[in-house]
Amino acid sequence: MPHHGNEEEHGSSENRGPGREQENEPQKPVVHDNRKVDPKTGQARHPDQEHAESGDALSQAEDILNSVEVPAEESVAQGVERAEAEELRNDLQRLQAEYVNYRKRVERDRAVAGEMAVIGVLNSLLPVLDDVDAARQHGDLSDGPFAAIAAKLENALKTYGLTRIDETGVEFDPTVHEALIQQPGDVELDTVSQVLRSGYKAGDRVLRAAQVIVAVPA
């Protein structure tokens, strides 16, 4: 049968077979099963079998990394836990020390506040005690109910540490005595010869110095 046209075209068309048609078809994506458990048998897969079946270099590298990362992560986690535990222990010790210091400071401030409150009350009662002393010197408190009341008041104030500064014949002390008059006397040191107004102390704190007459060496 005679051929018309280009023989190369006919030859090319005759040489086309099923394999040529498959090459022109689009390729389907290849899916690799990287599951560690076989869904059909339920058994664990071995890395060697997975590598042989898949032949995927990325999967092989991922499996190798997974196999060595587990113990490393455990050691790192243990180290992190120890570091966190040590840090928490240090924080607790620091908080405990701060709490102890805070409690001591609060107790100290409370004691100072209580002492200042007592001192304030005692200072407010000093003029009353001066009136009691004046009445006693004039003989108005020798006997009777007012003498008993004055004695009770003085005894009650003693329970708060109030003491009187009214001694004579003692060495003059500028911390507790206020010299109003100086008189020459037969003394070797400055000596309190007379108390004009009593002084008072609350514990070691001087509330008011005693006004005195001082005898000085002639």
Side-chain angles (χ1 to χ4, degrees):
M1 182 176 178
H3 297 281
H4 300 282
N6 193 346
E7 292 182 358
E8 293 180 357
E9 294 179 356
H10 290 284
S12 62
S13 62
E14 289 176 357
N15 293 332
R16 294 175 183 173
R20 301 289 183 177
E21 294 177 357
Q22 292 178 358
E23 291 177 357
N24 296 330
E25 294 179 358
Q27 295 183 357
K28 297 181 180 179
V30 179
V31 179
H32 299 282
D33 189 358
N34 295 327
R35 289 176 290 186
K36 296 184 180 297
V37 178
D38 194 336
K40 295 182 180 180
T41 63
Q43 297 180 355
R45 292 177 176 176
H46 297 286
D48 295 339
Q49 296 178 356
E50 294 179 359
H51 298 162
E53 291 177 359
S54 63
D56 189 352
L58 182 60
S59 300
Q60 295 178 10
E62 187 177 7
D63 292 338
I64 294 173
L65 291 176
N66 290 334
S67 65
V68 298
E69 283 179 358
V70 172
E73 290 178 355
E74 290 179 355
S75 62
V76 172
Q78 292 176 358
V80 171
E81 289 177 358
R82 286 195 297 269
E84 291 180 352
E86 187 67 22
E87 184 177 358
L88 289 175
R89 187 181 299 109
N90 294 334
D91 291 341
L92 289 176
Q93 291 177 353
R94 183 168 57 254
L95 288 175
Q96 184 179 8
E98 291 178 356
Y99 173 73
V100 171
N101 294 332
Y102 169 76
R103 185 176 60 184
K104 291 180 179 179
R105 185 169 61 255
V106 169
E107 292 176 355
R108 183 173 61 252
D109 294 343
R110 186 181 301 169
V112 172
E115 182 180 357
M116 295 304 297
V118 172
I119 290 175
V121 173
L122 294 178
N123 282 325
S124 64
L125 292 177
L126 293 184
V128 178
L129 296 177
D130 292 339
D131 292 341
V132 171
D133 287 342
R136 184 178 289 113
Q137 291 176 2
H138 288 82
D140 295 337
L141 295 179
S142 59
D143 195 6
F146 289 105
I149 294 173
K152 288 181 179 180
L153 175 61
E154 292 173 342
N155 292 330
L157 295 178
K158 289 180 181 179
T159 60
Y160 291 96
L162 183 68
T163 56
R164 189 189 299 270
I165 304 173
D166 58 355
E167 294 180 349
T168 59
V170 298
E171 183 180 355
F172 174 78
D173 185 356
T175 61
V176 296
H177 298 136
E178 180 184 358
L180 298 182
I181 302 174
Q182 293 183 353
Q183 295 177 345
D186 188 11
V187 292
E188 297 180 357
L189 298 173
D190 294 348
T191 306
V192 176
S193 60
Q194 184 178 352
V195 176
L196 301 178
R197 190 182 69 172
S198 298
Y200 291 94
K201 295 174 60 178
D204 295 332
R205 182 189 294 269
V206 178
L207 301 182
R208 189 180 70 185
Q211 295 179 348
V212 297
I213 298 175
V214 180
V216 297

